[in-house]
Amino acid sequence: MPRGMGRGYGRPRYGFYPFGSTYGLIDLLFLIGILYFLFKLFVVALPYALGLAALLVLRSFLRPRPWWGPF
């Protein structure tokens, strides 16, 4: 038997349909759930990030700086 036969190399290809089967639909649902979770996480974390940035800017304005050097 030639090398590679019996491993599926001689089968005809019918195209690539990633979401065309039951497992593909489950994968699609998982992807939608992950994206929804990341969106909600971003919405919750955005006010905290903006508040932290505002506090850092306020601190930089209130901090006394020497007139020499970059710091």
Side-chain angles (χ1 to χ4, degrees), residues 35-62:
L35 290 175
Y36 177 73
F37 175 74
L38 288 175
F39 177 74
K40 294 294 277 185
L41 188 65
F42 174 75
V43 168
V44 168
L46 183 65
Y48 293 105
L50 290 177
L52 180 63
L55 286 175
L56 289 174
V57 168
L58 185 65
R59 177 179 172 248
S60 70
F61 282 128
L62 294 177

Side-chain angles (χ1 to χ4, degrees), residues 2 4 9 11 25-26 30 32 36 38-39 44 50 65 71:
Y9 295 131
R11 293 184 190 160
L25 292 175
I26 292 171
F30 272 125
I32 290 172
Y36 177 73
L38 288 175
F39 177 74
V44 168
L50 290 177
R65 295 185 204 172
F71 299 107

Side-chain angles (χ1 to χ4, degrees), residues 1-2 10 13 15 17 21-22 26 30 34 36 45 53 58 64:
M1 183 183 294
R13 301 216 176 228
Y17 301 107
S21 65
T22 305
I26 292 171
F30 272 125
I34 289 169
Y36 177 73
L58 185 65

